[in-house]
Amino acid sequence: SGLFDIVSGYVLSHEVHQIKPYNGIYNSLINKYDLDVSNSLFIDDLKANINTAISLGFNAKVVKKNDFNSLCEILKSYNIKF
């Protein structure tokens, strides 16, 4: 069990040859899953990545780096079961 067991989708930068915080990787994710970004949650530990996600319409939250409890609190606040 791990993070990839509880997320609905993801894009790996080495697969799409794009990196955060540039828009391209977010657009790859949006297109891959035909996302409604207003109904999607983006979580990251870097504010620059969060800012890009918000600019594209995602709900986005900063998680404290290497802090599983911080992640759990964010997921609970969105009623996401894990």
Side-chain angles (χ1 to χ4, degrees):
S1 166
L3 180 60
F4 292 118
D5 295 329
I6 63 171
V7 297
S8 299
Y10 55 89
V11 170
L12 301 174
S13 59
H14 72 276
E15 292 179 353
V16 295
H17 307 287
Q18 299 167 337
I19 59 171
K20 298 177 290 184
Y22 302 105
N23 288 5
I25 193 163
Y26 300 83
N27 290 325
S28 292
L29 181 68
I30 292 165
N31 294 333
K32 181 176 181 179
Y33 295 102
D34 194 27
L35 292 181
D36 171 3
V37 293
S38 66
N39 195 34
S40 301
L41 177 61
F42 181 88
I43 300 172
D44 201 284
D45 64 342
L46 296 177
K47 187 68 174 159
N49 299 338
I50 294 296
N51 289 342
T52 301
I54 290 171
S55 76
L56 294 171
F58 282 93
N59 295 293
K61 294 289 181 184
V62 175
V63 67
K64 294 177 187 166
K65 188 173 185 129
N66 299 321
D67 184 346
F68 184 70
N69 289 331
S70 172
L71 174 61
C72 291
E73 290 302 314
I74 292 169
L75 296 176
K76 286 178 187 175
S77 74
Y78 282 86
N79 295 315
I80 297 172
K81 307 251 189 275
F82 54 97

